Amino acid sequence: MIDRIVQLVGLFFFGVAVWLITKEVEKVGLGHLGSLILSTPLWIVGLVLLFTLFDYLALSGYDFLALQYVGKKVPLKTVFKTAGVGFAISNTTGHAYVVGGSVRYLFYTKEGLTKLDIVKLIAFESLTFLFGMLFAFFIVVLMAPFSHTLDAHYGYLKELDWVCLIIAVLFACYWILVIKPGRKIKVAGELITSPSPKMTIRQILVGFADNVCVTLAFYVLMWYHLKSPFLPVFIVFIIAQAVGVSSQVPGGIGVFEGLFLYLFPHTLEQKGGILASLAIFRVLYYFVPFVLAAFYLMGIEVKKFFTERRTEQKKSP
């Protein structure tokens, strides 16, 4: 029942976001939007892909820390490969716990990890993502008064001060939990030892680095099309991304774009540049890694099929 309600809420947010974006595209015109997208130079596309690569290196930090937490050693090549494929698919399709867990089960069980290790790994990574998102949200709300671009729109951000207070209380409560080593937390029916304070700090830093890198990948486009300063883009991007993830819509598609358009101050002339930036970012950051990961997994299955077939042929008289 709860899952169905969550799905309906996500569908509602997606519908509203698509309606909003459609209206905004009509104001700009498909022809003009297409010309803005096609006029984006290749060196800007290259920078977006470069920061996307940096972000995937930061995302690999989730796996590195999680493997340290469960006490398992895995070759670096396998960690980068698993994290890259896992996040490329789960970022786009959503359901990170299920999809990410399946990918990690596929690769890490070959390195000696058990099903319980995978459960601990995913739970730890989910916690790292939550820490990074909350800390980034906390930082951007505190930075909002220093953004001159958002002066006229600071009202809605000022109302988020209470969210900062809640985040601070949550971190304080969690810190009390982890300050004593060996505490047990129940996750998916299993008792899991809470991370140490030192590990918790690393989680926050890795999660925050992830948020900064992904924002830079988007900011490159906003800088080219609007010459916007970094701070206002960072503030609105983090808020829109947090709501997009919370909406349960895969990849926050539509929800992230719609909320960014709504929150970021702009003129009608600038609207096309924002829409072009959002469209290119969605393709380069989400769809390109997803397609590469899908082809990689497909290649593994094809190779496995032919290997098994050759084995059967050798065994047959």
Side-chain angles (χ1 to χ4, degrees):
M1 182 64 181
I2 295 178
D3 290 341
R4 180 61 60 87
I5 292 174
V6 170
Q7 291 173 358
L8 290 174
V9 170
L11 187 62
F12 170 77
F13 278 117
F14 177 71
V16 172
V18 170
W19 175 81
L20 175 63
I21 294 171
T22 301
K23 292 294 182 183
E24 297 299 322
V25 170
E26 287 177 357
K27 294 177 183 177
V28 174
L30 276 175
H32 180 55
L33 178 59
S35 65
L36 284 172
I37 293 174
L38 294 176
S39 67
T40 304
L42 289 177
W43 67 272
I44 289 292
V45 172
L47 281 176
V48 176
L49 292 174
L50 180 63
F51 282 120
T52 297
L53 176 61
F54 287 159
D55 185 52
Y56 270 83
L57 291 176
L59 288 170
S60 298
Y62 286 64
D63 279 51
F64 281 114
L65 288 181
L67 288 166
Q68 288 179 18
Y69 169 71
V70 299
K72 300 292 183 180
K73 289 185 178 181
V74 175
L76 294 180
K77 181 180 178 181
T78 303
V79 176
F80 283 121
K81 174 178 63 178
T82 305
V85 173
F87 281 111
I89 295 177
S90 63
N91 281 352
T92 304
T93 62
H95 306 290
Y97 195 90
V98 176
V99 177
S102 299
V103 172
R104 283 161 181 81
Y105 182 81
L106 174 66
F107 290 109
Y108 286 151
T109 50
K110 298 176 183 177
E111 301 296 332
L113 273 72
T114 64
K115 290 182 180 180
L116 179 57
D117 289 332
I118 301 299
V119 170
K120 291 179 179 180
L121 194 90
I122 297 300
F124 183 91
E125 292 191 3
S126 299
L127 193 62
T128 302
F129 175 80
L130 179 62
F131 281 167
M133 180 67 72
L134 289 177
F135 186 69
F137 194 93
F138 183 81
I139 292 297
V140 300
V141 174
L142 291 181
M143 293 169 70
F146 302 99
S147 174
H148 300 299
T149 306
L150 295 174
D151 278 348
H153 298 257
Y154 181 55
Y156 72 86
L157 288 173
K158 196 170 184 180
E159 293 174 3
L160 294 176
D161 289 347
W162 62 271
V163 180
C164 277
L165 179 61
I166 292 175
I167 292 174
V169 171
L170 287 174
F171 271 121
C173 292
Y174 183 80
W175 201 259
I176 293 172
L177 178 69
V178 302
I179 204 70
K180 182 180 178 182
R183 286 186 181 271
K184 300 291 183 180
I185 305 173
K186 197 169 186 178
V187 178
E190 300 287 347
L191 286 177
I192 297 176
T193 305
S194 63
S196 65
K198 187 176 181 180
M199 181 64 78
T200 300
I201 292 174
R202 291 176 181 174
Q203 286 180 276
I204 293 172
L205 293 177
V206 168
F208 185 68
D210 165 32
N211 281 275
V212 170
C213 288
V214 67
T215 304
L216 286 171
F218 176 69
Y219 173 69
V220 169
L221 294 162
M222 288 288 287
W223 172 82
Y224 175 76
H225 286 287
L226 275 75
K227 295 299 183 287
S228 174
F230 177 73
L231 183 56
V233 175
F234 184 51
I235 291 169
V236 178
F237 183 92
I238 293 299
I239 294 173
Q241 188 185 45
V243 175
V245 171
S246 304
S247 70
Q248 298 300 310
V249 176
I253 188 168
V255 178
F256 163 75
E257 288 85 352
L259 192 59
F260 189 92
L261 270 170
Y262 178 74
L263 295 180
F264 193 82
H266 60 276
T267 62
L268 181 59
E269 290 74 19
Q270 294 173 320
K271 195 181 296 292
I274 297 176
L275 285 168
S277 299
L278 289 167
I280 297 171
F281 173 74
R282 175 63 65 176
V283 171
L284 296 181
Y285 182 81
Y286 288 96
F287 292 146
V288 169
F290 173 76
V291 170
L292 292 175
F295 273 110
Y296 180 78
L297 289 177
M298 191 184 303
I300 290 177
E301 291 302 314
V302 170
K303 183 180 179 180
K304 181 181 177 182
F305 171 77
F306 283 109
T307 300
E308 290 176 350
R309 192 168 182 179
R310 283 196 299 266
T311 302
E312 289 176 1
Q313 288 175 349
K314 289 179 181 179
K315 289 181 179 179
S316 61

